[in-house]
Each structure stands twice: as C-alpha cells, then as structure tokens.
Amino acid sequence: MKKNIAIIMGGFSSEFEISLKSGQVVYETLDPTKYIAFRIHIFKDKWVYVDAENNEHPIDRNDFSFTVEGAKTKFDCVFNAIHGTPGEDGFMQGYLELLGIPQTSCNMYQAALTFNKRDCLSALKPYGIKTAESYYVNLGDVIDEDAIIAKVGLPCFVKANKAGSSFGISKVYKKEEFKKALEVAFKEDDEVIIESFLDGIEVSVGVITYKGEVTVLPITEIVSENDFFDYQAKYLGQSQEITPARLTDEQEEKVRTVAKKVYEVLKMKGFSRSEFIFKDGEPHLLEVNTVPGMTKASILPQQAAVADISLMDLFGNAIQESLKS
C-alpha cells in the first residue's frame, strides 16, 4: 500500500518563500511507486491542501485531514519542509505528536531548543562544544554598547535569536552601528544574541539518521562574496559552496566528530545542518538548523549528492526513519 505523505511548507516567518521551494522539490521528487504526495500550505491565515490544479482545500486541524467531494484523506506521515516558525521551533512537532502522526524532523523539545540560538549554545557548552563569546539583549533592555564591546569585541555580529536564513543579522564594526543593527534584529525577534567575530574557515555539516545510523555527510566550505554568509550569499548565489570542503584531515576529523556529538547530545533525529567556524584550529559552533533547505541548490542536498545519496533516497529515507520511530 502506498503511504499518504503530507508535505508541509510555507510557515509564518520571512523564510516562507524558501520553504515553498523546498516543499515543491520534495513533492516532485518522492518515489511515486511508494508514496502519494500532498502539498500542504501552512500560513497564519489558512492551512490548505493544494491539489494538482492549484485548487485549495481547507485542512481540518482537529485531525489534520482534508475532505474533497465527501472523501476524507488522512496522512501516514508528514514531511516537514517549513523553515522557521511553526515548523522549525517545535509547534508543528508538538501538534503532530498529539495527533499521533509521524513526521520527518526532530521532536518538539529539540526543535524548540535548537531554534533558540542562545539556549542551544548554553545547553551544549557543558559538553565541551566551543562557541563564540556572546552577549544577550531582550527588547526593552537598556543597551550598554561599552559593556557589549568589552565582552565580544569589534567587529561583532548582531543576530535575531530565533530566526533562520540569516534574517535579522548585521556585522557591526563601530559602536555607532549598534542602534541600527539592533533595530534590524528586533524586527525578526524580541531576543537578540551578539557574538564575537570568528575569523576563519566557515563550514556547514549535515548530519542525518540514514538507514538507522547517525551519518555525517560530506562537509561544505562557505566562501561568501559578501561581508558574511548573509541572505544574499545563502540564496541569491553570492557565495561559493565547496563540497567537499578544503580542510586538512585533522580539521575534517575534528568538525565531523563535533557535529556528530552535537546531534547525539541533543538526541536529534531527522535532518540537521550545523554551522562552524574554525578559530585557532578548533571548530566553533554557530547554530544548528533542523529543517535545512531542500532545493537542489541547497547545501544539504549538495552534500548528499557527493555522498552518492539521491534526493529521492534522501527524502524517502527520512520518511522511513520517521515511520519506524
């Protein structure tokens, strides 16, 4: 029997356009001999099934189903392609868990923790995971630029704490630039993390559960044409993404070990993509993404291709793993 797979995409954040592209790639790629794929758009004002003719049918949120011409369709599994809230921060995971519907991303707690950069980094520090120096600010706090500079130095990064895809991030060189940078970050979130600048090789490491084993994919080196790996660099081609990364054997072994440790310490499942910068020869963790981009140009699918894992296999494996758990 073919399985009914709901591919959820869209979301409530600035990343919804990227999510729709990721979801469409999954929809076009899933093995039609094993799965019946359904595009489900999740937005603040509507949850709808979008059929092949792009007609919209409302989702019944009581049981996550839809009805067309009197026939009700329910799902065996949900493929989560929502970047940002509510797909990457735990809300959809909790909702689906309550309904008993398996889904391809990590569990609710892990999603909420990793989506909160400062909480995630704080949870990992006792395990020896190295990170940048950081300073935290909440909306409404009195801003003491001198104290921030004393802690993290200049230049530094001002980031929205709970936002992905490099939204709400600025690189600050001078004290006078903090006001504007904080305004940009607070447009995305009411919590901000300010981190020291790490000058070194930046890499992205995909870790997945593949055929029952925690698997570290080939590493990608990020060489941004811009001042840092911002939205334009990430999605508009203004960067080089080199897979496999140009690392020494020692560097590669170190970052592979740390990325796998992060995945296992956090009790992750499904997809993850962790970002690191090497400083003094040691990989320092920037963040963990649990619903990484799934377009053909996205980093994790590039890594899978180098590992000889096709997109069809990558997506099908995620469904099979979620059905087992």
PDB file of all heavy atoms in Angstrom, residues 161-180:
ATOM      1  N   ASN A 161      17.714  36.162  17.750  1.00  0.00           N
ATOM      2  CA  ASN A 161      17.999  34.895  18.424  1.00  0.00           C
ATOM      3  C   ASN A 161      17.218  33.731  17.834  1.00  0.00           C
ATOM      4  O   ASN A 161      17.740  32.626  17.703  1.00  0.00           O
ATOM      5  CB  ASN A 161      17.670  35.026  19.918  1.00  0.00           C
ATOM      6  CG  ASN A 161      18.089  33.795  20.707  1.00  0.00           C
ATOM      7  OD1 ASN A 161      19.157  33.254  20.499  1.00  0.00           O
ATOM      8  ND2 ASN A 161      17.224  33.344  21.609  1.00  0.00           N
ATOM      9  N   LYS A 162      15.958  33.972  17.458  1.00  0.00           N
ATOM     10  CA  LYS A 162      15.116  32.894  16.939  1.00  0.00           C
ATOM     11  C   LYS A 162      14.659  33.236  15.528  1.00  0.00           C
ATOM     12  O   LYS A 162      13.506  33.564  15.288  1.00  0.00           O
ATOM     13  CB  LYS A 162      13.896  32.672  17.853  1.00  0.00           C
ATOM     14  CG  LYS A 162      14.254  32.334  19.292  1.00  0.00           C
ATOM     15  CD  LYS A 162      13.041  31.943  20.123  1.00  0.00           C
ATOM     16  CE  LYS A 162      12.035  33.059  20.301  1.00  0.00           C
ATOM     17  NZ  LYS A 162      12.512  34.155  21.151  1.00  0.00           N
ATOM     18  N   ALA A 163      15.580  33.189  14.586  1.00  0.00           N
ATOM     19  CA  ALA A 163      15.258  33.405  13.177  1.00  0.00           C
ATOM     20  C   ALA A 163      16.306  32.694  12.347  1.00  0.00           C
ATOM     21  O   ALA A 163      17.458  32.593  12.746  1.00  0.00           O
ATOM     22  CB  ALA A 163      15.248  34.899  12.835  1.00  0.00           C
ATOM     23  N   GLY A 164      15.897  32.182  11.201  1.00  0.00           N
ATOM     24  CA  GLY A 164      16.831  31.450  10.359  1.00  0.00           C
ATOM     25  C   GLY A 164      17.163  32.211   9.096  1.00  0.00           C
ATOM     26  O   GLY A 164      16.771  33.363   8.910  1.00  0.00           O
ATOM     27  N   SER A 165      17.920  31.539   8.225  1.00  0.00           N
ATOM     28  CA  SER A 165      18.233  32.047   6.879  1.00  0.00           C
ATOM     29  C   SER A 165      18.889  33.425   6.881  1.00  0.00           C
ATOM     30  O   SER A 165      18.737  34.188   5.943  1.00  0.00           O
ATOM     31  CB  SER A 165      16.976  32.080   6.007  1.00  0.00           C
ATOM     32  OG  SER A 165      16.611  30.785   5.655  1.00  0.00           O
ATOM     33  N   SER A 166      19.607  33.747   7.946  1.00  0.00           N
ATOM     34  CA  SER A 166      20.376  34.992   8.005  1.00  0.00           C
ATOM     35  C   SER A 166      19.514  36.243   7.970  1.00  0.00           C
ATOM     36  O   SER A 166      19.982  37.330   7.617  1.00  0.00           O
ATOM     37  CB  SER A 166      21.425  35.040   6.879  1.00  0.00           C
ATOM     38  OG  SER A 166      22.238  33.908   6.934  1.00  0.00           O
ATOM     39  N   PHE A 167      18.234  36.124   8.317  1.00  0.00           N
ATOM     40  CA  PHE A 167      17.404  37.318   8.511  1.00  0.00           C
ATOM     41  C   PHE A 167      17.761  37.938   9.860  1.00  0.00           C
ATOM     42  O   PHE A 167      18.055  37.243  10.820  1.00  0.00           O
ATOM     43  CB  PHE A 167      15.918  36.954   8.501  1.00  0.00           C
ATOM     44  CG  PHE A 167      15.367  36.664   7.133  1.00  0.00           C
ATOM     45  CD1 PHE A 167      15.082  35.369   6.746  1.00  0.00           C
ATOM     46  CD2 PHE A 167      15.131  37.697   6.233  1.00  0.00           C
ATOM     47  CE1 PHE A 167      14.571  35.101   5.491  1.00  0.00           C
ATOM     48  CE2 PHE A 167      14.629  37.438   4.966  1.00  0.00           C
ATOM     49  CZ  PHE A 167      14.350  36.135   4.594  1.00  0.00           C
ATOM     50  N   GLY A 168      17.699  39.269   9.931  1.00  0.00           N
ATOM     51  CA  GLY A 168      17.911  39.950  11.204  1.00  0.00           C
ATOM     52  C   GLY A 168      19.342  39.906  11.692  1.00  0.00           C
ATOM     53  O   GLY A 168      19.597  39.936  12.891  1.00  0.00           O
ATOM     54  N   ILE A 169      20.313  39.831  10.767  1.00  0.00           N
ATOM     55  CA  ILE A 169      21.714  39.734  11.177  1.00  0.00           C
ATOM     56  C   ILE A 169      22.518  40.881  10.558  1.00  0.00           C
ATOM     57  O   ILE A 169      22.299  41.245   9.403  1.00  0.00           O
ATOM     58  CB  ILE A 169      22.310  38.356  10.793  1.00  0.00           C
ATOM     59  CG1 ILE A 169      23.776  38.234  11.206  1.00  0.00           C
ATOM     60  CG2 ILE A 169      22.175  38.074   9.316  1.00  0.00           C
ATOM     61  CD1 ILE A 169      24.313  36.825  11.107  1.00  0.00           C
ATOM     62  N   SER A 170      23.408  41.469  11.361  1.00  0.00           N
ATOM     63  CA  SER A 170      24.274  42.554  10.885  1.00  0.00           C
ATOM     64  C   SER A 170      25.672  42.355  11.451  1.00  0.00           C
ATOM     65  O   SER A 170      25.843  41.818  12.548  1.00  0.00           O
ATOM     66  CB  SER A 170      23.765  43.924  11.362  1.00  0.00           C
ATOM     67  OG  SER A 170      22.416  44.142  10.991  1.00  0.00           O
ATOM     68  N   LYS A 171      26.648  42.787  10.675  1.00  0.00           N
ATOM     69  CA  LYS A 171      28.026  42.820  11.176  1.00  0.00           C
ATOM     70  C   LYS A 171      28.330  44.255  11.594  1.00  0.00           C
ATOM     71  O   LYS A 171      28.142  45.190  10.809  1.00  0.00           O
ATOM     72  CB  LYS A 171      28.996  42.346  10.094  1.00  0.00           C
ATOM     73  CG  LYS A 171      30.415  42.096  10.610  1.00  0.00           C
ATOM     74  CD  LYS A 171      31.269  41.456   9.515  1.00  0.00           C
ATOM     75  CE  LYS A 171      32.671  41.160  10.005  1.00  0.00           C
ATOM     76  NZ  LYS A 171      33.513  40.554   8.937  1.00  0.00           N
ATOM     77  N   VAL A 172      28.768  44.425  12.831  1.00  0.00           N
ATOM     78  CA  VAL A 172      28.977  45.752  13.413  1.00  0.00           C
ATOM     79  C   VAL A 172      30.475  46.002  13.593  1.00  0.00           C
ATOM     80  O   VAL A 172      31.178  45.197  14.197  1.00  0.00           O
ATOM     81  CB  VAL A 172      28.250  45.865  14.770  1.00  0.00           C
ATOM     82  CG1 VAL A 172      28.660  47.128  15.511  1.00  0.00           C
ATOM     83  CG2 VAL A 172      26.740  45.850  14.556  1.00  0.00           C
ATOM     84  N   TYR A 173      30.934  47.133  13.041  1.00  0.00           N
ATOM     85  CA  TYR A 173      32.356  47.494  13.133  1.00  0.00           C
ATOM     86  C   TYR A 173      32.609  48.598  14.151  1.00  0.00           C
ATOM     87  O   TYR A 173      33.695  48.703  14.706  1.00  0.00           O
ATOM     88  CB  TYR A 173      32.862  47.973  11.770  1.00  0.00           C
ATOM     89  CG  TYR A 173      32.985  46.873  10.747  1.00  0.00           C
ATOM     90  CD1 TYR A 173      31.904  46.543   9.934  1.00  0.00           C
ATOM     91  CD2 TYR A 173      34.175  46.165  10.601  1.00  0.00           C
ATOM     92  CE1 TYR A 173      32.021  45.536   8.984  1.00  0.00           C
ATOM     93  CE2 TYR A 173      34.292  45.159   9.656  1.00  0.00           C
ATOM     94  CZ  TYR A 173      33.219  44.847   8.853  1.00  0.00           C
ATOM     95  OH  TYR A 173      33.316  43.830   7.930  1.00  0.00           O
ATOM     96  N   LYS A 174      31.583  49.462  14.356  1.00  0.00           N
ATOM     97  CA  LYS A 174      31.770  50.631  15.222  1.00  0.00           C
ATOM     98  C   LYS A 174      30.626  50.729  16.220  1.00  0.00           C
ATOM     99  O   LYS A 174      29.495  50.307  15.932  1.00  0.00           O
ATOM    100  CB  LYS A 174      31.807  51.922  14.376  1.00  0.00           C
ATOM    101  CG  LYS A 174      32.975  51.996  13.416  1.00  0.00           C
ATOM    102  CD  LYS A 174      33.017  53.327  12.685  1.00  0.00           C
ATOM    103  CE  LYS A 174      31.825  53.489  11.771  1.00  0.00           C
ATOM    104  NZ  LYS A 174      32.060  54.437  10.671  1.00  0.00           N
ATOM    105  N   LYS A 175      30.904  51.315  17.346  1.00  0.00           N
ATOM    106  CA  LYS A 175      29.920  51.485  18.420  1.00  0.00           C
ATOM    107  C   LYS A 175      28.641  52.154  17.897  1.00  0.00           C
ATOM    108  O   LYS A 175      27.530  51.782  18.277  1.00  0.00           O
ATOM    109  CB  LYS A 175      30.563  52.316  19.535  1.00  0.00           C
ATOM    110  CG  LYS A 175      29.690  52.603  20.738  1.00  0.00           C
ATOM    111  CD  LYS A 175      30.504  53.354  21.776  1.00  0.00           C
ATOM    112  CE  LYS A 175      29.643  53.861  22.906  1.00  0.00           C
ATOM    113  NZ  LYS A 175      30.436  54.573  23.923  1.00  0.00           N
ATOM    114  N   GLU A 176      28.798  53.109  16.988  1.00  0.00           N
ATOM    115  CA  GLU A 176      27.657  53.872  16.486  1.00  0.00           C
ATOM    116  C   GLU A 176      26.698  53.007  15.647  1.00  0.00           C
ATOM    117  O   GLU A 176      25.568  53.414  15.372  1.00  0.00           O
ATOM    118  CB  GLU A 176      28.131  55.057  15.620  1.00  0.00           C
ATOM    119  CG  GLU A 176      28.994  56.074  16.345  1.00  0.00           C
ATOM    120  CD  GLU A 176      30.415  55.586  16.597  1.00  0.00           C
ATOM    121  OE1 GLU A 176      30.985  54.920  15.708  1.00  0.00           O
ATOM    122  OE2 GLU A 176      30.946  55.842  17.702  1.00  0.00           O
ATOM    123  N   GLU A 177      27.153  51.842  15.216  1.00  0.00           N
ATOM    124  CA  GLU A 177      26.336  50.998  14.340  1.00  0.00           C
ATOM    125  C   GLU A 177      25.381  50.076  15.097  1.00  0.00           C
ATOM    126  O   GLU A 177      24.525  49.428  14.498  1.00  0.00           O
ATOM    127  CB  GLU A 177      27.245  50.156  13.425  1.00  0.00           C
ATOM    128  CG  GLU A 177      28.047  50.995  12.456  1.00  0.00           C
ATOM    129  CD  GLU A 177      29.123  50.199  11.717  1.00  0.00           C
ATOM    130  OE1 GLU A 177      29.265  48.985  11.977  1.00  0.00           O
ATOM    131  OE2 GLU A 177      29.829  50.791  10.891  1.00  0.00           O
ATOM    132  N   PHE A 178      25.531  50.005  16.423  1.00  0.00           N
ATOM    133  CA  PHE A 178      24.705  49.071  17.206  1.00  0.00           C
ATOM    134  C   PHE A 178      23.217  49.386  17.116  1.00  0.00           C
ATOM    135  O   PHE A 178      22.385  48.490  17.002  1.00  0.00           O
ATOM    136  CB  PHE A 178      25.128  49.070  18.686  1.00  0.00           C
ATOM    137  CG  PHE A 178      26.254  48.121  18.979  1.00  0.00           C
ATOM    138  CD1 PHE A 178      27.506  48.595  19.315  1.00  0.00           C
ATOM    139  CD2 PHE A 178      26.059  46.747  18.921  1.00  0.00           C
ATOM    140  CE1 PHE A 178      28.553  47.727  19.579  1.00  0.00           C
ATOM    141  CE2 PHE A 178      27.090  45.863  19.181  1.00  0.00           C
ATOM    142  CZ  PHE A 178      28.347  46.360  19.504  1.00  0.00           C
ATOM    143  N   LYS A 179      22.873  50.691  17.169  1.00  0.00           N
ATOM    144  CA  LYS A 179      21.451  51.077  17.192  1.00  0.00           C
ATOM    145  C   LYS A 179      20.724  50.510  15.966  1.00  0.00           C
ATOM    146  O   LYS A 179      19.677  49.876  16.076  1.00  0.00           O
ATOM    147  CB  LYS A 179      21.329  52.602  17.259  1.00  0.00           C
ATOM    148  CG  LYS A 179      19.897  53.115  17.408  1.00  0.00           C
ATOM    149  CD  LYS A 179      19.893  54.613  17.697  1.00  0.00           C
ATOM    150  CE  LYS A 179      18.492  55.136  17.944  1.00  0.00           C
ATOM    151  NZ  LYS A 179      17.668  55.131  16.720  1.00  0.00           N
ATOM    152  N   LYS A 180      21.296  50.740  14.771  1.00  0.00           N
ATOM    153  CA  LYS A 180      20.675  50.261  13.521  1.00  0.00           C
ATOM    154  C   LYS A 180      20.639  48.731  13.495  1.00  0.00           C
ATOM    155  O   LYS A 180      19.618  48.120  13.107  1.00  0.00           O
ATOM    156  CB  LYS A 180      21.454  50.804  12.323  1.00  0.00           C
ATOM    157  CG  LYS A 180      20.913  50.328  10.978  1.00  0.00           C
ATOM    158  CD  LYS A 180      19.655  51.084  10.616  1.00  0.00           C
ATOM    159  CE  LYS A 180      18.925  50.569   9.400  1.00  0.00           C
ATOM    160  NZ  LYS A 180      19.608  49.925   8.348  1.00  0.00           N
TER     161      LYS A 180
END
